Amino acid sequence: MKIESGSVEKTAAVREIFTRIAPRYDLMNRLMTGWQDIAWRREAISRAHLAPGARILDLGAGTGDLSREALRQQPDSFVVAADFTLEMMRVGKSNSNTVPHWLAADALRLPFPDNQFDAVVSGFLLRNVRDVPQALREQRRVLRPCGWIAALDTTRPGISLLTPLIRLHMRYVIPLLGRLVTGHRDAYEYLPNSSETFLSAEELAKCMEEAGFEQVGYRRRNAGTIAIHWGQKRAE
């Protein structure tokens, strides 16, 4: 499945995909990554520099994995799990009641006043939005001065000896696994397509700097196919 990047139709198409795969989304994440995604989320939350009592926005929260990790690391924090796919949130709420605050929200037009959160975190959100710079500007807007952003997402790996194996896994193994586990092969054809056309880790870091973040950094994981980015909102 190919979806035109930056198109208005992308929003509706992505929502439809995640609505269909929501019941098996968490299981597929574990199978696709060999359970490594749990450690990636743990690291992403650690990069958000959470303090006791922090106000956290988990944007594109899906079923709430990052929200639960944030609460594990800082149990007295206030976490809002926001997503634009209602079925994903419904599955997340039915699987666990540890995240009390859920909200339907568009990452390009967040329904919050300025300077509301100490951290904004996301997992596999940015490659699914049609306007990455706007999504980053919105995240910066709702952050308090000196607040942190942390984003876990796929990224284009560099060319190496592993490149043929990575492409085999992304283009054939994942769609086949998606068909067997969820019954929706086309949804898991979207994953490699969106990953291969998404920004490189270096390009995303530059976008974050242009959006007004400083102390921007990133770490690659999983043979360079995953990146965790972070940055701090400049003091005003």
Side-chain angles (χ1 to χ4, degrees), residues 64-115:
D65 274 348
L66 268 182
S67 294
R68 285 184 281 273
E69 178 58 29
L71 288 166
R72 189 192 69 80
Q73 294 189 24
Q74 286 293 350
D76 62 345
S77 59
F78 180 89
V79 180
V80 176
D83 201 281
F84 80 154
T85 304
L86 298 180
E87 184 63 16
M88 290 285 283
M89 293 190 289
R90 188 194 68 78
V91 171
K93 291 179 70 174
S94 66
N95 288 345
S96 171
N97 61 1
T98 58
V99 181
H101 307 291
W102 296 82
L103 179 71
D106 182 347
L108 303 184
R109 295 183 298 275
L110 295 177
F112 305 107
D114 297 354
N115 307 319

Side-chain angles (χ1 to χ4, degrees), residues 2-234:
K2 291 188 177 181
I3 299 173
E4 188 67 26
S5 176
S7 68
V8 175
E9 292 78 10
K10 178 174 181 175
T11 301
V14 169
R15 182 186 287 115
E16 190 271 338
I17 285 172
F18 284 102
T19 296
R20 285 190 287 132
I21 66 175
R24 296 294 183 91
Y25 177 77
D26 289 337
L27 175 60
M28 273 297 296
N29 278 345
R30 306 298 180 263
L31 293 174
M32 286 189 301
T33 68
W35 272 256
Q36 293 182 85
D37 64 302
I38 297 172
W40 301 336
R41 288 183 172 86
R42 186 181 306 124
E43 181 179 355
I45 293 299
S46 73
R47 297 291 186 180
H49 300 271
L50 302 183
R55 293 177 59 87
I56 306 158
L57 173 61
D58 177 8
L59 188 56
T63 58
D65 274 348
L66 268 182
S67 294
R68 285 184 281 273
E69 178 58 29
L71 288 166
R72 189 192 69 80
Q73 294 189 24
Q74 286 293 350
D76 62 345
S77 59
F78 180 89
V79 180
V80 176
D83 201 281
F84 80 154
T85 304
L86 298 180
E87 184 63 16
M88 290 285 283
M89 293 190 289
R90 188 194 68 78
V91 171
K93 291 179 70 174
S94 66
N95 288 345
S96 171
N97 61 1
T98 58
V99 181
H101 307 291
W102 296 82
L103 179 71
D106 182 347
L108 303 184
R109 295 183 298 275
L110 295 177
F112 305 107
D114 297 354
N115 307 319
Q116 291 296 299
F117 297 96
D118 299 295
V120 178
V121 299
S122 63
F124 306 108
L125 163 75
L126 291 173
R127 68 182 171 83
N128 291 312
V129 301
R130 70 174 187 271
D131 189 338
V132 172
Q134 173 62 15
L136 292 172
R137 288 191 295 268
E138 276 291 274
Q139 292 177 58
R140 182 187 180 280
R141 180 183 65 79
V142 301
L143 273 174
R144 292 171 176 169
C146 300
W148 287 84
I149 180 177
L152 164 66
D153 220 309
T154 58
T155 190
R156 296 199 309 269
I159 302 299
S160 71
L161 293 176
L162 294 176
T163 298
L165 292 177
I166 292 171
R167 288 176 175 168
L168 175 67
H169 181 73
M170 296 287 286
R171 296 179 182 180
Y172 299 100
V173 175
I174 287 177
L176 176 60
L177 190 61
R179 181 177 67 82
L180 294 174
V181 174
T182 73
H184 299 292
R185 179 187 177 95
D186 61 331
Y188 286 93
E189 290 174 341
Y190 164 73
L191 172 61
N193 289 334
S194 63
S195 298
E196 289 179 0
T197 58
F198 187 49
L199 301 171
S200 68
E202 294 80 7
E203 289 168 339
L204 181 54
K206 183 177 179 180
C207 282
M208 292 173 65
E209 291 171 346
E210 291 173 347
F213 292 99
E214 59 185 10
Q215 297 193 55
V216 172
Y218 64 89
R219 290 289 184 274
R220 292 182 181 271
R221 296 290 181 260
N222 199 44
T225 62
I226 296 293
I228 300 169
H229 285 74
W230 60 87
Q232 186 178 35
K233 180 177 179 177
R234 295 171 185 147

